[in-house]
Amino acid sequence: MFRLLGVCVLPVLMLTCLPANAFAHAVGVSCKLNGAKVEVEVYYDDNTPATNAKIQVLDADEKVTLSGVTDEKGRCTFATPAPGQYQVRADAGAGHRTKTAFTVPAAAAQAPASVVISDGPTREEFTRFPWLQVVIAVTVLGGVAAAFAVSSRLRKKESSPCEH
């Protein structure tokens, strides 16, 4: 019983002993059209803003048309560029970089307030708790522990002396 408990608990204990900073933050970026302005928002996967992140906006020819730095809320706002395809690159430091494409529509002035114009997941989708990954990890750990327990029981049965 204690051996089975040790086999099931040991992998979980080993994972909890790993340093938390070994798992880097992912960084996300989204662009919203707010009237005559585009608001770029940079954030980490734990939903904290990426302050002082460097922003570059590139046109279709990959020329930098705008650059800036995010504020304490992880936002950088600039005048809406001409209609077309753009790419925003964000560098939050320490290797936290990301990029996404966004499209400024031809009728940008008539767009409703705060419409997302960037590709990819929204901030809410990006920062959502990864329940699926947690379930998969726990299932894999449980499967490995169960396989180990079964194999050690089978080994025990094979090595025990036969009684006649």
Side-chain angles (χ1 to χ4, degrees):
M1 176 66 180
F2 288 113
R3 185 175 184 158
L4 180 63
L5 184 62
V7 168
C8 294
V9 173
L10 184 63
V12 175
L13 287 175
M14 288 173 59
L15 285 175
T16 58
C17 292
L18 292 173
N21 60 1
F23 303 104
H25 283 294
V27 67
V29 63
S30 66
C31 303
K32 292 179 184 177
L33 187 60
N34 262 337
K37 303 240 182 232
V38 172
E39 180 181 278
V40 176
E41 200 171 19
V42 185
Y43 42 85
Y44 295 105
D45 59 357
D46 65 356
N47 206 19
T48 57
T51 59
N52 298 318
K54 295 176 182 140
I55 302 296
Q56 288 184 326
V57 177
L58 292 81
D59 62 14
D61 298 326
E62 294 198 20
K63 293 180 183 169
V64 177
T65 59
L66 295 162
S67 60
V69 177
T70 59
D71 61 14
E72 68 278 351
K73 293 182 180 178
R75 295 181 184 147
C76 180
T77 305
F78 53 88
T80 303
Q85 296 283 328
Y86 295 89
Q87 183 182 73
V88 63
R89 293 182 185 169
D91 183 353
H96 297 110
R97 295 185 187 114
T98 190
K99 61 184 175 182
T100 192
F102 70 95
T103 305
V104 176
Q110 288 86 20
S114 194
V115 63
V116 176
I117 58 172
S118 56
D119 296 344
T122 63
R123 182 174 186 156
E124 291 76 26
E125 293 167 341
F126 187 80
T127 59
R128 185 178 312 147
F129 189 80
W131 286 110
L132 179 60
Q133 287 90 341
V134 169
V135 169
I136 291 170
V138 168
T139 302
V140 168
L141 284 173
V144 168
F148 184 76
V150 167
S151 70
S152 77
R153 268 192 177 239
L154 288 175
R155 231 178 334 180
K156 237 186 217 181
K157 281 185 178 181
E158 289 174 1
S159 65
S160 65
C162 295
E163 292 182 25
H164 292 285

